[in-house]
Amino acid sequence: MNLVFFKDACMHACRVARILRAPRGNALLVGVGGSGRQSLTRLATAIWEMEFMNIEITRTYDQMAFREDLKKMLLRSGGATNGPDDAQTVFYFSDTQIVKESFLEDINNVLNSGEVPNLFEADEMERIISAVRPLAVAAGKVETRDSIYQHFVQLVRENLHIVICMSPIGDAFRVRCRMFPSLINCCTIDWYGAWPKEALLSVAQHQFKGVDLGTDDIKTGVCDVCVAIHYDVRGSTKRFYDELRRITYTTPTSYLELLTLFLSTLAEQRERITQQISRYHGGVDKLIKTNEVVDSMKAELTEMQPILSQAQ
């Protein structure tokens, strides 16, 4: 991953890592898109050497496919597929992956009780009981089906860490928190605010680190201008809302797109100028060769002048 560790990013990474290390630690990361929630979650997962898992949304992804993915995560974290020492799993789930609101209902159940009602079929339950039985006996539990399954649920709650990322923009976040209270009650909330100027400057310097802009003073000036543009646009959005009551958001993604636009425009202009220089060089070379040919023809004509005079 290509990360820039400014102060706010380090603080958020430490918070997420601390949440994942806590018993039954689950996180609700609230912030706009592009604020680094997924990258920092991956970093915190790698710090504790846990398994990072998320779902891949396709056109045909539905409730059944989501439940199949959820089964894999529960089986892995519950010790039904491997040993308990290798079962620490982080499930990353973003609001952009909510195809149906029933996804959140299942996650709400896992957060609240560690299981989803009627998720496993009878044959799957038998495999779970058979796989978890040695773990339950080793933990001193009574060797009954209910006791073994409760041990499985306990392992799930201890080993599966759910990280939910949501954006506070709009009414959807408020409605979902009201409908699924475990998102608040069973998660530690970490708010991702706007990037400060030092963060914007650090990102710009990192983006332009390998770019030749002439001198270091010019590169510093370009970075300062990018930061100023982003802050001016942010101020303009506030005035726009005050005057017209319409909300326009400036996110870290907007800032990264600004830097990318500058680099792509710079590359295009340099390529265009290089082509023009090459074209001008070609034209000059042709003019020089043409002058040489004309000079040689003049010399031949001067040498042949007497012969032409006699012929006349």
Side-chain angles (χ1 to χ4, degrees):
M1 294 185 295
N2 190 11
L3 300 178
V4 180
F5 288 102
F6 48 87
K7 183 178 179 181
D8 279 19
C10 294
M11 293 175 62
H12 285 297
C14 291
R15 292 192 190 105
V16 176
R18 188 167 62 247
I19 293 169
L20 296 182
R21 192 57 178 173
R24 300 185 181 183
N26 303 296
L28 175 61
L29 310 183
V30 183
V32 296
S35 54
R37 297 167 300 175
Q38 182 174 355
S39 299
L40 295 179
T41 302
R42 287 181 178 272
L43 176 63
T45 303
I47 290 174
W48 296 120
E49 298 181 352
M50 297 179 179
E51 181 73 17
F52 182 90
M53 300 182 70
N54 62 350
I55 61 176
E56 183 177 353
I57 300 298
T58 60
R59 185 173 299 178
T60 58
Y61 198 86
D62 55 4
Q63 177 71 14
M64 185 177 298
F66 176 74
R67 289 205 161 189
E68 288 298 323
D69 290 336
L70 194 60
K71 284 180 183 180
K72 296 177 183 178
M73 298 176 196
L74 296 179
L75 291 173
R76 186 184 189 283
S77 57
T81 57
N82 49 23
D85 295 335
D86 191 30
Q88 292 290 327
T89 305
V90 175
F91 174 34
Y92 176 87
F93 186 74
S94 174
D95 55 356
T96 58
Q97 298 172 327
I98 302 176
V99 179
K100 296 182 178 179
E101 293 297 320
S102 56
F103 290 7
L104 284 177
E105 183 177 356
D106 291 341
I107 292 178
N108 182 79
N109 289 328
V110 175
L111 289 171
N112 188 36
S113 61
E115 60 178 335
V116 178
N118 303 320
L119 178 63
F120 296 104
E121 301 292 339
D123 57 337
E124 294 173 334
M125 285 293 296
E126 290 298 329
R127 289 198 297 268
I128 291 174
I129 298 300
S130 300
V132 181
R133 186 186 303 274
L135 303 178
V137 173
K141 301 295 180 64
V142 181
E143 197 171 348
T144 61
R145 289 180 58 88
D146 292 340
S147 178
I148 294 173
Y149 183 72
Q150 288 303 318
H151 185 69
F152 169 76
V153 173
Q154 179 183 348
L155 290 177
V156 169
R157 300 191 71 180
E158 291 176 353
N159 295 328
L160 180 61
H161 305 276
I162 300 178
V163 178
I164 305 171
C165 296
M166 288 193 174
S167 173
I169 298 174
D171 297 331
F173 177 63
R174 183 175 65 251
V175 172
R176 287 165 177 166
C177 289
R178 187 174 64 247
M179 291 179 61
F180 308 106
S182 293
L183 299 179
I184 303 297
N185 299 334
C186 301
C187 293
T188 302
I189 303 176
D190 186 16
W191 283 85
Y192 286 67
W195 285 359
K197 285 188 176 182
E198 62 175 10
L200 299 174
L201 186 60
S202 299
V203 172
Q205 291 172 347
H206 179 76
Q207 289 286 94
F208 298 148
K209 181 172 60 176
V211 181
D212 183 16
L213 296 177
T215 63
D216 293 338
D217 293 338
I218 295 177
K219 185 177 294 186
T220 302
V222 171
C223 295
D224 293 337
V225 168
C226 291
V227 175
I229 290 173
H230 188 74
Y231 259 77
D232 288 345
V233 172
R234 185 184 300 175
S236 299
T237 56
K238 294 180 181 178
R239 294 195 301 270
F240 188 65
Y241 175 75
D242 293 337
E243 295 176 4
L244 300 177
R245 311 305 295 178
R246 295 180 62 182
I247 302 176
T248 305
Y249 297 97
T250 54
T251 65
T253 302
S254 306
Y255 183 67
L256 295 176
E257 289 176 352
L258 169 65
L259 301 180
T260 303
L261 177 61
F262 176 83
L263 292 175
S264 61
T265 304
L266 178 65
E268 291 176 0
Q269 293 298 320
R270 283 181 171 176
E271 183 179 358
R272 183 177 63 84
I273 292 173
T274 301
Q275 292 176 353
Q276 290 180 348
I277 292 174
S278 177
R279 189 180 299 115
Y280 292 149
H281 278 308
V284 171
D285 291 339
K286 288 182 180 180
L287 289 175
I288 293 174
K289 291 180 180 179
T290 302
N291 289 332
E292 292 176 352
V293 172
V294 170
D295 292 339
S296 63
M297 293 176 65
K298 286 182 179 179
E300 292 177 2
L301 184 60
T302 302
E303 292 176 356
M304 296 179 63
Q305 189 68 34
I307 300 174
L308 294 174
S309 300
Q310 292 176 3
Q312 292 179 353

